[in-house]
Amino acid sequence: MNEEVRQWEYETLRPPREATKKEASDPKTELNALGEEGWELVETIEYTGGGTKYLVFKRPVDAEGEAT
């Protein structure tokens, strides 16, 4: 049985902060741009005290190492 292993590449986005630095502004534009490039949101990394520090995305890489 010759099963092909799926390869992934990853990207992160740090949600932009409002002027107070306490509230994140809506990253919809950035999210839509990443979605158009084939990225899928898979995880959030949060600060210990709360709030999102990073959004983690992945997309498959084909056999030649190119993003699909």
Side-chain angles (χ1 to χ4, degrees):
M1 179 179 228
N2 186 7
E3 191 171 315
E4 194 172 313
V5 176
R6 171 66 42 124
Q7 299 279 325
W8 300 95
E9 67 176 327
Y10 295 88
E11 180 66 74
T12 59
L13 171 67
R14 182 176 226 159
R17 298 277 178 203
E18 295 290 343
T20 64
K21 303 293 184 194
K22 293 183 180 182
E23 297 294 325
S25 59
D26 187 355
K28 187 186 302 185
T29 300
E30 293 90 344
L31 292 171
N32 283 330
L34 288 169
E36 288 176 9
E37 295 173 6
W39 295 102
E40 176 183 1
L41 178 66
V42 294
E43 183 72 53
T44 59
I45 299 173
E46 298 182 2
Y47 287 105
T48 303
T52 301
K53 186 171 185 177
Y54 290 103
L55 303 173
V56 181
F57 300 81
K58 73 176 184 180
R59 68 180 175 187
V61 176
D62 67 17
E64 286 81 42
E66 300 280 328
T68 55

